[in-house]
Amino acid sequence: HVQLVESGGGSVEVGGSLRLSCAGSGYAHSEYCLGWFRQAPGKEREGVAIIDSDGRLSYAEFVKDRFTISRDNEKNTLYLQMNALKPEDTATYQCAAGRCGFGYRYWGQGTQVTVS
């Protein structure tokens, strides 16, 4: 049974920082591409950052130089360090996992980030 559980969301002031975590189980974590996505009210879900099984990174332009994605394969955990947060970063953040090149099959329930 695959499970992704996010944590670390919350309310923060503009310019503040948060670190999101996503604990995975039930799949070969180290072999999978992992990503963070977000969805704000009334908007479509958008990709934030991804990291592939070889550790290659990709960021959405709107988070470059502010967010850092990383993974710890020994702990089966994905992270998103978010700095210099802006009100427009307010959203529900979800982690996702999937075999690289085959899309994201597994999704977490999401964690709310509110910046004001």
Side-chain angles (χ1 to χ4, degrees):
H1 174 65
V2 175
Q3 195 170 20
L4 297 173
V5 180
E6 300 98 337
S7 61
S11 296
V12 64
E13 293 183 348
V14 173
S17 299
L18 283 174
R19 188 193 195 204
L20 305 183
S21 299
C22 172
S25 61
Y27 66 98
H29 182 89
S30 63
E31 299 175 6
Y32 276 46
C33 279
L34 306 173
W36 285 100
F37 297 78
R38 71 185 188 185
Q39 187 168 20
K43 294 187 177 181
E44 293 188 355
R45 184 167 59 196
E46 57 186 359
V48 175
I50 60 175
I51 181 168
D52 71 10
S53 53
D54 292 324
R56 288 180 290 239
L57 313 177
S58 180
Y59 294 95
E61 193 63 36
F62 53 78
V63 302
K64 274 184 178 179
D65 300 324
R66 298 190 299 126
F67 292 8
T68 302
I69 188 172
S70 61
R71 65 193 295 166
D72 185 334
N73 291 334
E74 290 189 0
K75 295 182 179 180
N76 284 5
T77 301
L78 174 71
Y79 302 99
L80 184 68
Q81 177 66 45
M82 305 187 294
N83 299 327
L85 283 161
K86 305 175 181 180
E88 50 264 45
D89 294 319
T90 295
T92 298
Y93 285 71
Q94 286 179 284
C95 60
R99 290 201 175 274
C100 298
F102 291 90
Y104 291 93
R105 179 175 180 181
Y106 306 113
W107 293 81
Q109 82 289 350
T111 186
Q112 178 66 36
V113 171
T114 302
V115 185
S116 59

